[in-house]
Protein backbone atom coordinates (compact mmCIF):
# COMPACT_ATOMS: atom_id res chain seq x y z
CA UNK A 1 0.00 0.00 0.00
CA UNK A 2 1.29 3.46 -0.93
CA UNK A 3 0.56 6.43 1.32
CA UNK A 4 1.10 10.08 0.55
CA UNK A 5 1.98 11.45 3.97
CA UNK A 6 2.00 15.22 4.48
CA UNK A 7 3.56 16.83 7.56
CA UNK A 8 4.55 20.38 8.50
CA UNK A 9 7.74 19.72 10.46
CA UNK A 10 11.37 18.80 9.90
CA UNK A 11 11.95 15.30 11.17
CA UNK A 12 14.48 14.79 13.94
CA UNK A 13 13.17 17.20 16.60
CA UNK A 14 11.25 15.55 19.44
CA UNK A 15 10.80 18.61 21.65
CA UNK A 16 6.99 18.64 21.60
CA UNK A 17 3.94 16.53 20.93
CA UNK A 18 3.43 18.26 17.60
CA UNK A 19 6.79 16.87 16.42
CA UNK A 20 6.50 13.45 18.09
CA UNK A 21 3.19 12.42 16.51
CA UNK A 22 4.12 12.88 12.83
CA UNK A 23 7.40 11.01 13.19
CA UNK A 24 5.93 8.15 15.19
CA UNK A 25 3.15 7.70 12.63
CA UNK A 26 5.70 7.63 9.82
CA UNK A 27 7.67 4.90 11.57
CA UNK A 28 4.45 2.98 12.30
CA UNK A 29 3.34 3.04 8.65
CA UNK A 30 6.75 1.78 7.56
CA UNK A 31 6.72 -0.99 10.17
CA UNK A 32 3.38 -2.17 8.80
CA UNK A 33 4.91 -2.62 5.37
CA UNK A 34 3.55 0.51 3.71
CA UNK A 35 5.37 2.51 1.08
CA UNK A 36 5.31 6.13 2.26
CA UNK A 37 5.86 9.20 0.12
CA UNK A 38 6.73 11.83 2.72
CA UNK A 39 6.46 15.61 2.72
CA UNK A 40 8.41 17.23 5.54
CA UNK A 41 9.41 20.87 5.93
CA UNK A 42 8.53 23.65 8.33
CA UNK A 43 6.09 26.32 7.22
CA UNK A 44 8.24 29.19 8.42
CA UNK A 45 10.97 28.13 5.99
CA UNK A 46 8.87 29.17 3.02
CA UNK A 47 11.23 28.43 0.14
CA UNK A 48 12.24 25.05 1.54
CA UNK A 49 8.56 24.25 2.04
CA UNK A 50 7.61 25.41 -1.45
CA UNK A 51 10.30 23.24 -3.08
CA UNK A 52 9.16 20.22 -1.05
CA UNK A 53 5.55 20.74 -2.17
CA UNK A 54 6.64 21.14 -5.79
CA UNK A 55 8.47 17.81 -5.57
CA UNK A 56 5.28 16.12 -4.30
CA UNK A 57 3.30 17.65 -7.16
CA UNK A 58 5.79 16.25 -9.68
CA UNK A 59 5.53 12.85 -8.02
CA UNK A 60 1.73 12.98 -8.32
CA UNK A 61 2.07 13.51 -12.06
CA UNK A 62 3.11 9.87 -12.44
CA UNK A 63 1.98 8.23 -9.19
CA UNK A 64 -1.32 7.59 -7.46
CA UNK A 65 -1.21 6.71 -3.75
CA UNK A 66 -3.90 4.58 -2.14
CA UNK A 67 -4.69 7.44 0.23
CA UNK A 68 -3.31 10.64 1.69
CA UNK A 69 -2.80 11.15 5.42
CA UNK A 70 -1.99 14.58 6.86
CA UNK A 71 -0.65 15.53 10.29
CA UNK A 72 -1.69 19.15 10.77
CA UNK A 73 0.70 21.98 11.61
CA UNK A 74 0.90 23.56 15.03
CA UNK A 75 -1.38 26.42 14.02
CA UNK A 76 -2.97 27.36 10.69
CA UNK A 77 -1.81 26.43 7.18
CA UNK A 78 0.27 29.42 6.09
CA UNK A 79 0.81 28.94 2.38
CA UNK A 80 -1.58 28.77 -0.57
CA UNK A 81 0.58 26.13 -2.27
CA UNK A 82 -0.14 23.74 0.60
CA UNK A 83 -3.87 24.23 0.20
CA UNK A 84 -3.56 23.79 -3.57
CA UNK A 85 -1.76 20.49 -3.03
CA UNK A 86 -4.51 19.17 -0.75
CA UNK A 87 -7.17 20.39 -3.15
CA UNK A 88 -5.44 18.59 -6.01
CA UNK A 89 -5.20 15.31 -4.10
CA UNK A 90 -8.87 15.51 -3.16
CA UNK A 91 -9.93 16.27 -6.76
CA UNK A 92 -7.95 13.22 -7.92
CA UNK A 93 -10.34 11.11 -5.87
CA UNK A 94 -7.62 9.98 -3.47
CA UNK A 95 -9.08 9.51 0.05
CA UNK A 96 -7.74 12.23 2.36
CA UNK A 97 -7.55 11.82 6.13
CA UNK A 98 -6.48 14.87 8.12
CA UNK A 99 -5.42 14.76 11.77
CA UNK A 100 -6.61 18.07 13.23
CA UNK A 101 -4.62 18.44 16.40
CA UNK A 102 -5.67 21.66 18.12
CA UNK A 103 -8.36 24.28 18.67
CA UNK A 104 -6.57 26.85 20.80
CA UNK A 105 -7.76 29.67 18.53
CA UNK A 106 -11.31 29.15 19.86
CA UNK A 107 -10.27 29.53 23.50
CA UNK A 108 -9.21 33.14 23.99
CA UNK A 109 -10.20 32.97 27.66
CA UNK A 110 -7.52 30.32 28.24
CA UNK A 111 -4.66 31.55 26.05
CA UNK A 112 -5.06 35.33 25.81
CA UNK A 113 -4.96 37.83 28.67
CA UNK A 114 -6.23 41.26 27.76
CA UNK A 115 -7.03 42.35 24.22
CA UNK A 116 -6.14 40.29 21.18
CA UNK A 117 -3.15 41.48 19.22
CA UNK A 118 -3.33 41.93 15.45
CA UNK A 119 -1.27 38.76 15.01
CA UNK A 120 -3.71 36.79 17.18
CA UNK A 121 -6.66 38.08 15.15
CA UNK A 122 -4.93 37.00 11.93
CA UNK A 123 -4.13 33.54 13.28
CA UNK A 124 -7.74 33.07 14.39
CA UNK A 125 -9.00 34.14 10.95
CA UNK A 126 -6.58 31.79 9.19
CA UNK A 127 -7.56 28.94 11.49
CA UNK A 128 -11.27 29.42 10.77
CA UNK A 129 -10.43 29.54 7.06
CA UNK A 130 -8.69 26.16 7.45
CA UNK A 131 -11.82 24.68 9.04
CA UNK A 132 -13.91 25.74 6.04
CA UNK A 133 -11.24 24.44 3.66
CA UNK A 134 -11.03 21.04 5.36
CA UNK A 135 -14.78 20.55 5.19
CA UNK A 136 -14.55 20.71 1.40
CA UNK A 137 -11.22 19.00 0.74
CA UNK A 138 -10.95 16.04 3.10
CA UNK A 139 -12.85 12.78 3.43
CA UNK A 140 -12.21 12.18 7.12
CA UNK A 141 -11.02 14.52 9.87
CA UNK A 142 -9.35 12.85 12.82
CA UNK A 143 -9.54 14.52 16.23
CA UNK A 144 -7.41 13.52 19.23
CA UNK A 145 -10.42 13.05 21.52
CA UNK A 146 -14.19 12.63 21.42
CA UNK A 147 -14.65 15.70 23.65
CA UNK A 148 -13.11 17.92 20.99
CA UNK A 149 -15.82 17.03 18.47
CA UNK A 150 -18.40 19.29 20.15
CA UNK A 151 -16.47 22.36 18.97
CA UNK A 152 -16.57 21.46 15.25
CA UNK A 153 -19.04 20.33 12.61
CA UNK A 154 -16.82 18.45 10.19
CA UNK A 155 -18.99 16.11 8.06
CA UNK A 156 -16.98 12.96 8.85
CA UNK A 157 -15.01 12.61 12.08
CA UNK A 158 -13.03 9.84 13.75
CA UNK A 159 -10.69 9.83 16.76
CA UNK A 160 -6.95 9.21 17.03
CA UNK A 161 -5.64 9.74 20.56
CA UNK A 162 -1.89 9.85 21.17
CA UNK A 163 -0.06 6.56 21.46
CA UNK A 164 3.16 5.12 22.85
CA UNK A 165 6.20 3.32 21.44
CA UNK A 166 6.01 0.31 23.74
CA UNK A 167 7.22 -0.60 27.20
CA UNK A 168 10.48 1.02 28.30
CA UNK A 169 10.20 -0.09 31.92
CA UNK A 170 7.74 -0.95 34.67
CA UNK A 171 7.24 -0.89 38.43
CA UNK A 172 6.01 -4.47 38.74
CA UNK A 173 6.85 -6.13 42.04
CA UNK A 174 8.40 -2.98 43.45
CA UNK A 175 7.37 -1.44 46.74
CA UNK A 176 6.73 2.26 46.14
CA UNK A 177 9.25 4.77 47.36
CA UNK A 178 8.20 8.38 47.71
CA UNK A 179 9.67 10.10 44.62
CA UNK A 180 7.30 11.71 42.11
CA UNK A 181 8.13 13.14 38.69
CA UNK A 182 6.56 15.80 36.50
CA UNK A 183 7.81 16.45 32.97
CA UNK A 184 6.46 19.37 30.96
CA UNK A 185 5.68 23.06 30.81
CA UNK A 186 5.81 25.40 33.78
CA UNK A 187 3.03 27.99 34.14
CA UNK A 188 -0.34 28.49 35.77
CA UNK A 189 -2.05 26.80 32.80
CA UNK A 190 0.19 23.76 33.19
CA UNK A 191 -0.79 23.49 36.85
CA UNK A 192 2.58 24.44 38.31
CA UNK A 193 0.95 26.40 41.15
CA UNK A 194 -1.21 23.44 42.12
CA UNK A 195 1.74 21.06 41.89
CA UNK A 196 4.16 23.07 44.03
CA UNK A 197 1.57 24.01 46.65
CA UNK A 198 0.58 20.34 46.92
CA UNK A 199 4.17 19.27 47.59
CA UNK A 200 4.66 22.10 50.03
CA UNK A 201 1.66 20.71 51.94
CA UNK A 202 3.10 17.19 51.76
CA UNK A 203 6.58 18.18 52.92
CA UNK A 204 6.69 21.53 54.67
CA UNK A 205 10.39 22.09 55.24
CA UNK A 206 11.17 18.39 55.04
CA UNK A 207 11.63 16.08 52.07
CA UNK A 208 9.53 12.99 52.78
CA UNK A 209 7.92 13.23 49.33
CA UNK A 210 10.64 14.43 46.92
CA UNK A 211 9.61 15.85 43.55
CA UNK A 212 11.64 15.83 40.36
CA UNK A 213 10.38 18.60 38.07
CA UNK A 214 11.72 18.37 34.53
CA UNK A 215 11.30 21.47 32.39
CA UNK A 216 13.07 23.73 29.92
CA UNK A 217 15.59 26.20 31.39
CA UNK A 218 13.32 29.20 30.77
CA UNK A 219 10.58 27.59 32.86
CA UNK A 220 12.54 28.00 36.09
CA UNK A 221 11.87 31.75 36.17
CA UNK A 222 8.19 31.05 36.89
CA UNK A 223 9.05 29.29 40.17
CA UNK A 224 9.58 31.49 43.21
CA UNK A 225 13.17 31.41 44.45
CA UNK A 226 12.08 30.31 47.92
CA UNK A 227 10.35 27.29 46.42
CA UNK A 228 13.37 26.48 44.23
CA UNK A 229 15.44 26.11 47.40
CA UNK A 230 13.05 23.71 49.11
CA UNK A 231 14.79 20.42 50.02
CA UNK A 232 12.03 18.35 48.40
CA UNK A 233 12.34 19.94 44.95
CA UNK A 234 14.82 18.82 42.31
CA UNK A 235 14.79 20.88 39.09
CA UNK A 236 16.16 19.13 36.01
CA UNK A 237 16.52 20.18 32.38
CA UNK A 238 16.31 17.09 30.20
CA UNK A 239 14.61 15.95 27.01
CA UNK A 240 14.55 12.90 24.78
CA UNK A 241 14.41 9.26 25.80
CA UNK A 242 18.12 8.99 26.60
CA UNK A 243 18.04 11.81 29.17
CA UNK A 244 14.57 11.08 30.58
CA UNK A 245 14.92 7.31 30.98
CA UNK A 246 17.04 7.38 34.18
CA UNK A 247 14.74 9.99 35.73
CA UNK A 248 11.68 7.85 35.06
CA UNK A 249 13.52 4.81 36.42
CA UNK A 250 14.18 6.65 39.69
CA UNK A 251 10.56 7.82 40.02
CA UNK A 252 7.71 5.97 41.71
CA UNK A 253 4.84 8.15 40.57
CA UNK A 254 4.10 10.38 37.55
CA UNK A 255 2.12 13.62 37.86
CA UNK A 256 -0.14 15.58 35.54
CA UNK A 257 -1.41 18.69 37.37
CA UNK A 258 -2.63 20.68 34.33
CA UNK A 259 -5.29 23.29 35.13
CA UNK A 260 -8.88 22.19 34.58
CA UNK A 261 -10.64 24.35 32.00
CA UNK A 262 -12.71 23.91 28.84
CA UNK A 263 -9.64 23.50 26.64
CA UNK A 264 -7.76 21.07 28.87
CA UNK A 265 -10.94 19.03 29.31
CA UNK A 266 -10.78 17.89 25.69
CA UNK A 267 -6.98 17.93 25.27
CA UNK A 268 -4.94 14.78 25.74
CA UNK A 269 -1.20 15.00 26.26
CA UNK A 270 1.42 12.80 24.64
CA UNK A 271 3.15 13.08 28.02
CA UNK A 272 0.60 10.72 29.57
CA UNK A 273 1.57 8.09 27.03
CA UNK A 274 5.24 8.61 27.85
CA UNK A 275 4.45 8.00 31.52
CA UNK A 276 2.68 4.82 30.41
CA UNK A 277 5.75 3.62 28.51
CA UNK A 278 7.69 3.60 31.78
CA UNK A 279 4.92 1.82 33.69
CA UNK A 280 4.38 4.66 36.15
CA UNK A 281 1.18 4.95 38.19
CA UNK A 282 -0.24 8.46 37.88
CA UNK A 283 -1.99 11.24 39.78
CA UNK A 284 -3.71 13.84 37.61
CA UNK A 285 -6.20 16.68 37.80
CA UNK A 286 -9.65 15.56 36.62
CA UNK A 287 -9.69 17.10 33.15
CA UNK A 288 -12.29 15.14 31.19
CA UNK A 289 -10.18 13.16 28.71
CA UNK A 290 -7.31 12.69 31.16
CA UNK A 291 -9.70 11.32 33.77
CA UNK A 292 -11.32 8.98 31.22
CA UNK A 293 -7.93 7.58 30.25
CA UNK A 294 -6.70 7.00 33.80
CA UNK A 295 -9.97 5.47 34.94
CA UNK A 296 -10.41 3.30 31.81
CA UNK A 297 -7.19 1.45 32.61
CA UNK A 298 -7.10 2.06 36.40
CA UNK A 299 -3.70 3.70 36.18
CA UNK A 300 -3.88 5.84 39.29
CA UNK A 301 -5.95 8.53 40.98
CA UNK A 302 -7.57 11.74 39.77
CA UNK A 303 -8.16 14.77 41.93
CA UNK A 304 -9.85 18.14 41.96
CA UNK A 305 -7.97 21.17 40.66
CA UNK A 306 -6.88 21.83 44.23
CA UNK A 307 -3.48 21.53 45.96
CA UNK A 308 -4.86 19.83 49.07
CA UNK A 309 -6.69 17.17 47.08
CA UNK A 310 -3.67 16.69 44.83
CA UNK A 311 -1.44 16.20 47.87
CA UNK A 312 -3.92 13.75 49.40
CA UNK A 313 -4.02 11.59 46.25
CA UNK A 314 -0.22 11.52 45.97
CA UNK A 315 0.08 10.43 49.58
CA UNK A 316 -2.66 7.81 49.21
CA UNK A 317 -1.16 6.19 46.14
CA UNK A 318 2.38 6.10 47.51
CA UNK A 319 1.35 4.79 50.93
CA UNK A 320 -1.14 2.13 49.80
CA UNK A 321 1.09 -0.69 48.54
CA UNK A 322 -1.81 -2.80 47.21
CA UNK A 323 -3.29 0.11 45.25
CA UNK A 324 0.14 0.99 43.90
CA UNK A 325 0.78 -2.60 42.79
CA UNK A 326 -2.56 -2.73 40.92
CA UNK A 327 -1.86 0.55 39.13
CA UNK A 328 1.66 -0.56 38.21
CA UNK A 329 0.31 -3.82 36.77
CA UNK A 330 -2.41 -1.99 34.84
CA UNK A 331 0.10 0.48 33.43
CA UNK A 332 2.32 -2.33 32.16
CA UNK A 333 -0.66 -4.02 30.50
CA UNK A 334 -2.20 -0.85 29.02
CA UNK A 335 0.77 -0.32 26.70
CA UNK A 336 -0.64 -3.01 24.44
CA UNK A 337 -3.48 -1.58 22.38
CA UNK A 338 -2.10 1.95 22.74
CA UNK A 339 0.88 1.67 20.38
CA UNK A 340 1.63 3.94 17.43
CA UNK A 341 1.17 0.89 15.22
CA UNK A 342 -2.38 0.55 16.59
CA UNK A 343 -3.00 4.17 15.62
CA UNK A 344 -1.58 3.57 12.15
CA UNK A 345 -3.70 0.43 11.71
CA UNK A 346 -6.80 2.51 12.39
CA UNK A 347 -5.86 4.90 9.58
CA UNK A 348 -5.13 2.02 7.21
CA UNK A 349 -8.52 0.46 7.92
CA UNK A 350 -10.35 3.79 7.58
CA UNK A 351 -8.68 5.11 4.43
CA UNK A 352 -7.18 2.04 2.78
CA UNK A 353 -10.45 0.12 2.52
CA UNK A 354 -10.17 -3.64 2.09
CA UNK A 355 -6.44 -3.31 1.37
CA UNK A 356 -5.90 -1.51 4.66
CA UNK A 357 -7.82 -4.11 6.63
CA UNK A 358 -5.86 -6.91 4.96
CA UNK A 359 -2.51 -5.20 5.58
CA UNK A 360 -3.33 -4.24 9.18
Amino acid sequence: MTILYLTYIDFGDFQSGSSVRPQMMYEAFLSLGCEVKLLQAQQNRREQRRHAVEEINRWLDTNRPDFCYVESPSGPIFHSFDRKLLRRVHKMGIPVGYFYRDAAFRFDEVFISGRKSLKQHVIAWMSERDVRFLKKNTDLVYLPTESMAQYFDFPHVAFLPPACMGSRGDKLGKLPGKRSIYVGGVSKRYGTDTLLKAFDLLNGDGDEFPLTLVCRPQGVAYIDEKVRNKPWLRLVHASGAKELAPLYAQADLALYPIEKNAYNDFAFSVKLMEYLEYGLPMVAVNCTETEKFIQRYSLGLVCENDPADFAEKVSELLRDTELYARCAKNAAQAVQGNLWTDRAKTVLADLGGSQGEKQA
Side-chain angles (χ1 to χ4, degrees):
M1 177 170 291
T2 302
I3 303 169
L4 174 58
Y5 183 22
L6 310 182
T7 75
Y8 295 80
I9 64 166
D10 291 320
F11 278 30
D13 180 13
F14 284 85
Q15 295 298 315
S16 66
S18 59
S19 63
V20 169
R21 275 182 293 256
Q23 298 182 77
M24 291 299 98
M25 286 296 283
Y26 177 69
E27 295 295 335
F29 284 137
L30 292 178
S31 72
L32 293 172
C34 300
E35 180 181 339
V36 183
K37 180 61 178 177
L38 175 67
L39 169 62
Q40 58 159 321
Q42 292 183 28
Q43 294 196 99
N44 58 4
R45 297 176 180 172
R46 189 180 188 280
E47 284 306 299
Q48 179 185 344
R49 179 77 189 176
R50 182 174 62 82
H51 287 305
V53 169
E54 287 174 351
E55 194 276 326
I56 294 295
N57 273 307
R58 289 192 295 270
W59 181 83
L60 284 170
D61 290 340
T62 55
N63 293 273
R64 183 183 177 88
D66 293 287
F67 66 85
C68 174
Y69 175 73
V70 188
E71 284 273 341
S72 62
S74 181
I77 300 172
F78 289 169
H79 307 302
S80 60
F81 51 72
D82 273 301
R83 291 190 296 278
K84 287 178 181 178
L85 173 60
L86 269 175
R87 190 180 295 113
R88 177 186 180 185
V89 173
H90 185 62
K91 285 184 176 180
M92 290 174 67
I94 298 167
V96 177
Y98 190 100
F99 179 70
Y100 193 79
R101 60 175 297 272
D102 203 1
F105 64 95
R106 290 189 173 176
F107 290 85
D108 292 354
E109 69 279 9
V110 175
F111 294 97
I112 298 175
S113 58
R115 296 180 62 182
K116 263 187 179 181
S117 66
L118 177 59
K119 179 180 178 180
Q120 288 165 335
H121 276 290
V122 171
I123 288 175
W125 178 87
M126 293 174 69
S127 298
E128 295 293 357
R129 178 202 58 193
D130 285 353
V131 171
R132 296 189 297 272
F133 174 82
L134 294 174
K135 288 178 183 178
K136 297 177 180 178
N137 294 284
T138 61
D139 298 279
L140 183 61
V141 173
Y142 289 107
L143 302 177
T145 64
E146 294 181 12
S147 298
M148 186 174 169
Q150 65 183 299
Y151 298 101
F152 296 93
D153 59 351
F154 294 117
H156 303 287
V157 172
F159 306 103
L160 279 181
C164 63
M165 296 179 65
S167 179
R168 297 172 182 262
D170 60 59
K171 303 298 175 180
L172 298 175
K174 299 177 182 178
L175 290 175
K178 297 288 183 68
R179 180 167 292 281
S180 298
I181 188 169
Y182 166 75
V183 181
V186 175
S187 71
K188 182 178 184 298
R189 184 172 69 83
Y190 281 109
T192 304
D193 297 358
T194 297
L195 175 67
L196 296 177
K197 288 176 183 177
F199 274 78
D200 204 34
L201 290 172
L202 282 166
N203 290 288
D205 291 325
D207 60 353
E208 182 182 4
F209 292 91
L211 168 65
T212 299
L213 192 159
V214 184
C215 66
R216 295 179 180 180
Q218 57 267 37
V220 175
Y222 183 82
I223 302 172
D224 186 89
E225 189 173 355
K226 291 182 180 179
V227 178
R228 286 182 236 164
N229 294 325
K230 293 284 188 177
W232 47 262
L233 179 61
R234 176 190 179 196
L235 291 170
V236 180
H237 308 308
S239 64
K242 185 176 181 180
E243 294 181 3
L244 289 172
L247 300 174
Y248 283 132
Q250 295 164 12
D252 303 289
L253 183 66
L255 308 174
Y256 192 65
I258 197 163
E259 182 181 56
K260 184 173 174 63
N261 55 44
Y263 178 85
N264 289 335
D265 270 340
F266 76 73
F268 188 90
S269 175
V270 171
K271 189 57 60 181
L272 292 171
M273 305 308 296
E274 188 172 285
Y275 290 164
L276 190 68
E277 289 176 349
Y278 289 91
L280 283 161
M282 307 175 197
V283 169
V285 170
N286 61 344
C287 297
T288 302
E289 291 293 339
T290 300
E291 182 174 17
K292 283 166 59 176
F293 174 70
I294 289 177
Q295 292 187 342
R296 180 185 303 131
Y297 298 103
S298 298
L299 301 173
L301 300 175
V302 293
C303 63
E304 299 295 323
N305 191 30
D306 172 72
D309 196 31
F310 199 101
E312 182 180 333
K313 296 302 191 296
V314 170
S315 177
E316 179 182 350
L317 190 44
L318 290 177
R319 292 182 188 278
D320 187 332
T321 56
E322 291 185 5
L323 173 62
Y324 184 89
R326 287 199 304 273
C327 293
K329 180 180 179 181
N330 293 336
Q333 293 176 341
V335 170
Q336 299 305 316
N338 285 290
L339 301 170
W340 288 108
T341 49
D342 296 312
R343 195 177 190 261
K345 286 177 183 178
T346 298
V347 175
L348 289 174
D350 289 343
L351 300 175
S354 57
Q355 291 186 64
E357 293 174 5
K358 183 177 181 181
Q359 190 154 0

